[in-house]
Amino acid sequence: MKRRPHPEELRLWSKVAATVHPLSGRFLPEFGDDPPPAAPVQMPLPSKAVPKTRGPQTPPSDIEPGRLRKIARDHLEARIDLHGMDQDRAKAALEAFLFRVWDEGYRSALVITGKGMRGEGVLRRMAPEWLAAPKLREVVAGVSTAKRHHGGDGALYVALKRKPRP
């Protein structure tokens, strides 16, 4: 937001502008000694806090860099390929798979969604939301896009939480 220049600044600027010669076809703006009075600025009154609306859920926080490097170096313990599944079947398969591998003690998984047609795949777009859902929060520690050799944008690394000891 720009503010209006003070009278002192306008006088100083007019002195500087007087020493400058305009290019051909251009002119210097002229400033009067007294600029028009500035209109009083009306600040909006603080309103009551508006509750935030919940938009689309974002995936859990990204995987820690050290753990991500370890997973990317082929330390993947489990993988699932969701190619060719519709949304309902893919979501159910993903949830069942993650609960099963978590129960078996695995700490990471690769979820292959594919890129879809023209890079706008439904599974690719929906998988991070499914992984952020409350149902999977006790299992999923973090989500990150896979490295190129594991599928790049068409796959996700999922870091799994430790299973509590009985």
Side-chain angles (χ1 to χ4, degrees), residues 20 24 29 46 63 68 75 78 81-83 87 91 101 108 111 121 139 143 147 160 165:
V20 176
S24 61
I63 303 170
L68 182 62
H75 286 73
D81 191 344
L82 303 176
H83 278 106
Q87 285 186 56
K91 182 178 179 182
V101 296
S108 63
V111 177
V139 175
V143 178
K147 301 294 182 194
L160 301 172
R165 292 186 180 175

Side-chain angles (χ1 to χ4, degrees), residues 94-106:
L94 178 62
E95 289 173 352
F97 167 77
L98 289 176
F99 278 114
R100 181 176 48 83
V101 296
W102 174 76
D103 191 47
E104 292 174 8
Y106 292 117

Side-chain angles (χ1 to χ4, degrees), residues 23-34:
L23 294 172
S24 61
R26 301 208 177 188
F27 63 94
L28 285 175
E30 294 186 20
F31 296 104
D33 287 337
D34 295 324

Side-chain angles (χ1 to χ4, degrees), residues 57-60 94 98 111 126-134 136-137 140 142-143 156-158:
Q57 291 182 336
T58 57
L94 178 62
L98 289 176
V111 177
M126 296 302 294
E129 291 184 28
W130 297 337
L131 293 167
L136 290 174
R137 281 197 191 129
V140 176
V143 178
L156 297 169
Y157 293 135
V158 179

